Amino acid sequence: MSKATKQFQTEVKQLLDLVIHSLYSNREIFLRELISNASDAIDKARFEAQSNESLLEGNSDWKIKLIPNKDAGTLTIRDNGIGMSMAEVEENIGTIAKSGTKSFVQAMKDAAAAEQPELIGQFGVGFYASFMVADKVTLTTRRAGDASHATLWESSGDGSYTIEDATKAERGTEIVLHLKEEFKEYLDEWKIRSIVKKYSDFIQYPVCMDITRTETPKGVDGEEIEGAGTIEKTEEQTLNSMKAIWARSKSDVTEDEYKEFYKHVSHDFEDPFRTIHFAAEGTSEFKALLYLPAKKPFDLFMAERKRGVQLYVKRVFITEKCDALLPDYLRFVRGVVDSSDLPLNVSREILQEDVQIKRIQKSLVNKILSTLADLKEKEYDQYLTFWKEFGPVVKEGLHFDYANKEKLQELILFQSTRTAEGEYVSLKEYVERMPEAQKEIYYITGEDKASLEQSPLLEAFNAKGFEVLFMTDPVDEWVVQSLFEYKEKKLKAVDRGDVDLDSEEEKKEKEKKQEEAKKEFGTLLDLIKNRLESKIKEVRFSNRLTDSACCLVADEYGMNANMERIMKAMNQAVPESKRVLELNPDHPILKVMAEMHKQNPDNSRLLDYSDLLYDQALLTEGSPIKDPLKFTKLVSELMVKAAQQ
Ligand code: ADP
């Protein structure tokens, strides 16, 4: 192909702009990103060569070479990894992540807007980081096994790039950074050494550089030969120690090494929250170095995720995407698992079904859950910090990992009618502090604590001193379906079915009152029911209300308002389900209506009042009213009438 000039995808332009302007305080990471890409490319070549040896082209001396050239003002990063075809260059460099591109850039913008540049690091800005230090980048690459096609790509990071055919004898990729004047320090030997040591020491392949030293020649006796002048000696040195830190014993790894390795595998800028390093022996032999991040990654709830735990077999990288290694609800965990049992040429498809992988998964999950249990017991404040970030994800486990239900139910925390701002309660504590008269565990689902606290559904529970858990994560609706009881106490939604809060005596008392109320309101209830027939299933007197006039509840198996909201947000069809309107016979509005009804059962105002009651119930639970225009018209009329009296 002759030379073509092309435009970057809009999102790439935005990304470049963000990278250049937000990450300046961490500029030196450009080298880490490029070395990391080179190492990934060698991993891939090594992996593919397992089944196709010809890709090696007779050279398996894996190496990443750094070549600073002070005269030209360039820094070159060269690898002999898998390389790219022209199509791959177009796909990988110049466009970002095929899917979710928009949300990706948006999430990055948010991070920049929140002035949290460290979050941007998580996005794997990778190759684009070059433009923080270079005003021109030239990339030449040739895919392993295809000696006759190489590609030359070049850009000044200003919105366009050129691409053309090239020749390249060796497979792999060579990136030449034309450094901006003010960043020429990155050509300095000691600067490069220190960056490599800091960020890339554990890269598995040698990161090499030619070092030239000036020496005075020495005689056979080892003494310098006078008057012989100086000679230049160049030798290739390896700058990194290449130690696979997961393969070392814990006592040999320093805290800093753990942290740097975390940043390498996670692309996070922050330190990890917890490090879990262990070796398993017996039926399944593997080493694992896992990390719990401090902050949730931006793509935690996106279907398409980039990173997971990396799988190695006997120190050879296999894949970064082995979904079977950890269940989905632990998808925030990062790190490396290195198995001694799996065959090296294992295919990525087989991994999904492999029994060894299943054994490894079981052991990893046990370790992670016991680490969390330990943290909760010994360092509760720390656990709370973790929970606030990852609780909503861990909770998914209750729905999907039945085998670990017992452990998971001890890990979950909730806010409640009794917890202060920022505080949480566990199920164990909840049950321990239940008053004797309370038989079930009560909960209410909704959007957030502040709005739930206002719910009329809580009135009777508050009056009794019964604590109600606030379930404010969308996943909670599923959690309660799977959990359904804890320590033989049933979980019960306050907005579902009948609630049974009273002692036998109180019940008798209430029944008596309801009988009387029925006599008093009997036909009024029928009138309200008829009026609202298309919207509700039933009208009845409430056990839950003490102050408010009315509320809506789901029947035992019906769908509640929160679930409807969640399903709509997920763009799912919401089946038509009618709910029950509960009324408080002690509320003045009902007394007023009963009186009006007695005077004249055909009073048309009764119909308007019925509509208003229903709309009130919708508003207090946070649901939209169906006909806001009519609602405001009725309220205005009432206001005028009230003022005229
Ligand atoms: P990331 O590394 O996070 O995927 P990059 O923007 O750094 O993001 O790279 C995009 C893609 O370009 C990589 O996923 C890889 O497929 C390809 N790539 C980058 N550098 C190299 C390289 N040195 N050799 C081969 N492919 C590379």
Side-chain angles (χ1 to χ4, degrees), residues 131-224:
F131 290 102
M132 289 195 292
V133 295
D135 47 23
K136 189 164 82 175
V137 177
T138 312
L139 175 146
T140 317
T141 185
R142 164 164 99 60
R143 205 172 198 292
D146 186 4
S148 52
H149 293 100
T151 305
L152 192 139
W153 179 101
E154 195 165 74
S155 174
S156 306
D158 54 1
S160 67
Y161 61 88
T162 61
I163 190 160
E164 63 195 292
D165 286 323
T167 50
K168 190 171 185 301
E170 279 211 330
R171 71 156 183 270
T173 303
E174 179 173 297
I175 295 170
V176 182
L177 307 177
H178 303 262
L179 295 177
K180 292 179 189 168
E181 201 48 50
E182 61 270 39
F183 302 126
K184 292 276 159 69
E185 56 180 317
Y186 294 117
L187 296 172
D188 183 64
E189 177 196 328
W190 296 103
K191 185 80 187 171
I192 295 174
R193 268 183 196 279
S194 79
I195 301 176
V196 171
K197 200 78 198 153
K198 183 165 168 198
Y199 296 109
S200 313
D201 194 48
F202 32 74
I203 289 283
Q204 276 203 80
Y205 308 104
V207 177
C208 302
M209 187 159 69
D210 286 343
I211 307 289
T212 304
R213 296 266 178 264
T214 312
E215 282 179 13
T216 313
K218 291 182 181 128
V220 272
D221 54 2
E223 293 290 318
E224 288 183 0

Side-chain angles (χ1 to χ4, degrees), residues 13 46 50 107 174 205 219 230 298 326 340 441 449 471 512 534 558 576 596:
K13 281 189 212 157
R46 226 174 138 193
Q50 302 283 347
E174 179 173 297
Y205 308 104
T230 53
F298 77 103
L326 276 182
S340 316
I441 298 172
K449 183 175 194 260
M471 304 223 174
K512 224 170 90 195
S534 61
E576 190 67 33
M596 282 162 66

Side-chain angles (χ1 to χ4, degrees), residues 144 186 236 291 351 384 392 506 620:
Y186 294 117
E236 187 175 70
Y291 295 96
L351 286 174
L384 206 56
E506 288 168 316
T620 45

Side-chain angles (χ1 to χ4, degrees), residues 15 33-42 44 77-84 88-89 91-98 104 122-129 139-142 172-175 267 306-307 320:
L15 181 76
E33 297 293 308
L34 294 181
I35 291 176
S36 172
N37 279 352
S39 160
D40 290 349
I42 297 177
K44 280 184 204 152
I77 296 94
R78 180 192 293 158
D79 68 66
N80 55 2
I82 193 73
M84 287 178 271
E88 284 170 325
V89 173
E91 195 177 301
N92 296 331
I93 316 265
T95 42
I96 358 173
K98 295 110 235 172
F104 174 89
Q122 288 183 357
F123 299 92
V125 292
F127 175 75
Y128 301 109
L139 175 146
T140 317
T141 185
R142 164 164 99 60
T173 303
E174 179 173 297
I175 295 170
H267 291 236
K306 245 181 145 182
R307 283 168 234 289
E320 179 157 51

